[in-house]
Amino acid sequence: MKRKISLLSIITTLICLCLCGCFNSGNEPYKTSFRSFDTLCSVTIYDNKTSAEYDNIQRNIKTACTKYNYSFDKYIPNSFIRNFNSIKHKIAKNDNYDVLKRSIELGDKTSGAFDITISPIVELWGVNTNHFNVPSDEKIKQELAKVNYRQLSLNGNSARLTGGGSIDLGAIAKGFVADKLVESLKTMKIKSAIIDLGGNIYAIGSKKGKPFKVGIEKPFSHGKLIATVKAKDTSVITAGIYQRYKKKDGKIYSHIMDPKTGKPVDNDLNSVTVISKDATAADALSTGFMVMGLEKGLALANSTDGVEAVFIDKNNTLHLTDGLIQEGKEISLK
């Protein structure tokens, strides 16, 4: 789950800081920032709470993120996923079981465009590392034989992976954790907050009765916004080829891998932003839609209940699902 801080994360942090400055004196929002999932995370709360309550909330947030990071990061020694990848069979309980179950469901939903068994291909290319290389077609074919989420099976609390492959939760873990944090904050009676897990945004409630605004970055623009989404009780999660990539001989190699070709995504899309109350689905589907391309991805998004999306093509033209409307640079639900 090696992920660098994205420009979208920085932009959204700036937006949150702007929102903070707009609050009345004496009613300042409470913000806690920390590193987890190999990125900068923050939670900004706009409710009136005592210092003791905020301290308790902060401890709960950091404890939860530390737990999930330790469990889901394949690079951490003795993490659940690292151990699972080593032995290919493990008892999976509670959240470990749930994230694997959701991964299979979303793999089915996207006909395999989202596939957590993509790990051998991710490691082969090394786009997220200092060891990037363009592998031979023969090597890609060899590693691609290990990629198929249907080789992952769940039976009771038992999880098994056949075919010699391994799992990478980088395209679903932060969405899953965001959903868990939302549940926790609502249990603590938080009615207004922004969760930012390295650019994966969840807006709880609204600010003074108005939706939060979450920026969508213009691809390859060095931080400029192409639009903002009005968000209330929903996640806003973007996957794009501009976020983490390597360039060689003038060609861009994205960190998003196509499970069918074993190569970085190379189609008609620069990015996809998914808007959904289900952050787990939004995280996975943003990657799945990127792999599928504009036509198939947009069709699936339009046919999926509770999901809206903004597709940005190679000309940086916006394509919206049927449930969205754009007025100027603002996008909102119809």
Side-chain angles (χ1 to χ4, degrees):
M1 209 175 342
K2 293 288 184 182
R3 286 194 170 190
K4 297 179 180 178
I5 299 172
S6 67
L7 288 174
L8 178 59
S9 175
I10 296 171
I11 291 167
T12 308
T13 299
L14 291 175
I15 290 174
C16 288
L17 289 174
C18 176
L19 289 169
C20 292
C22 292
F23 241 68
N24 293 332
S25 177
N27 192 23
E28 293 296 321
Y30 175 87
K31 181 174 181 178
T32 179
S33 299
F34 53 95
R35 287 193 65 82
S36 193
F37 314 107
D38 200 40
T39 190
L40 178 64
C41 302
S42 68
V43 177
T44 307
I45 299 170
Y46 296 87
D47 283 353
N48 291 320
K49 298 291 180 182
T50 66
S51 295
E53 288 174 320
Y54 279 136
D55 288 343
N56 182 54
I57 291 167
Q58 175 179 281
R59 282 193 299 271
N60 287 341
I61 290 170
K62 290 185 176 180
T63 297
C65 286
T66 299
K67 180 190 76 170
Y68 289 121
N69 187 46
Y70 180 78
S71 187
F72 297 158
D73 193 330
K74 68 179 182 180
Y75 296 102
I76 295 178
N78 293 319
S79 69
F80 170 78
I81 289 300
R82 181 156 180 163
N83 287 341
F84 183 83
N85 285 341
S86 297
I87 63 176
K88 305 298 187 294
H89 176 249
K90 193 169 179 65
I91 300 300
K93 296 181 179 179
N94 303 323
D95 294 330
N96 293 327
Y97 182 91
D98 291 344
V99 75
L100 294 179
K101 183 173 183 290
R102 291 300 309 276
S103 295
I104 293 173
E105 292 170 353
L106 291 160
D108 287 339
K109 183 70 178 177
T110 60
S111 300
F114 167 74
D115 190 331
I116 61 170
T117 65
I118 195 68
S119 184
I121 294 297
V122 171
E123 297 303 317
L124 177 65
W125 284 83
V127 173
N128 290 335
T129 72
N130 294 324
H131 308 292
F132 165 73
N133 73 99
V134 178
S136 66
D137 288 344
E138 181 181 353
K139 189 63 177 175
I140 292 173
K141 183 178 180 180
Q142 178 182 335
E143 294 303 302
L144 195 57
K146 304 174 184 177
V147 177
N148 186 343
Y149 75 96
R150 293 185 180 90
Q151 294 173 346
L152 174 64
S153 60
L154 303 178
N155 183 15
N157 285 334
S158 178
R160 182 185 297 273
L161 180 64
T162 58
S166 56
I167 286 173
D168 187 321
L169 295 177
I172 192 171
K174 290 194 294 183
F176 183 87
V177 173
D179 282 331
K180 294 298 180 180
L181 292 181
V182 169
E183 290 177 11
S184 178
L185 289 172
K186 287 185 176 181
T187 297
M188 292 182 278
K189 309 301 182 183
I190 298 300
K191 298 179 181 178
S192 178
I194 287 282
I195 298 171
D196 180 355
L197 303 182
N200 284 30
I201 310 301
Y202 204 111
I204 299 176
S206 58
K207 175 181 173 289
K208 291 187 175 181
K210 295 183 179 180
F212 290 100
K213 293 182 181 180
V214 180
I216 298 179
E217 185 179 350
K218 182 179 181 180
F220 302 106
S221 69
H222 304 290
K224 294 181 181 178
L225 297 183
I226 196 169
T228 58
V229 175
K230 292 182 178 180
K232 178 182 179 182
D233 290 317
T234 193
S235 65
V236 181
I237 298 177
T238 297
I241 63 170
Y242 65 92
Q243 294 172 328
R244 292 176 300 283
Y245 65 90
K246 290 293 192 299
K247 200 169 185 178
K248 184 175 182 179
D249 299 328
K251 181 177 176 60
I252 287 175
Y253 295 89
S254 169
H255 74 290
I256 302 174
M257 297 292 160
D258 187 333
K260 290 183 173 59
T261 67
K263 298 179 180 180
V265 166
D266 184 12
N267 55 28
D268 51 2
L269 289 174
N270 274 337
S271 73
V272 179
T273 298
V274 177
I275 304 159
S276 175
K277 294 181 183 297
D278 183 348
T280 306
D283 201 4
L285 290 176
S286 63
T287 295
F289 293 158
M290 276 296 304
V291 171
M292 296 173 75
L294 178 58
E295 184 178 354
K296 291 182 179 180
L298 185 58
L300 180 57
N302 273 322
S303 66
T304 302
D305 291 339
V307 168
E308 301 296 341
V310 180
F311 292 73
I312 301 180
D313 66 22
K314 286 295 177 63
N315 296 317
N316 283 336
T317 300
L318 274 62
H319 305 263
L320 310 183
T321 48
D322 296 338
L324 296 177
I325 186 170
Q326 184 174 6
E327 298 176 353
K329 287 193 173 183
E330 291 191 347
I331 295 171
S332 58
L333 293 171
K334 285 183 177 177

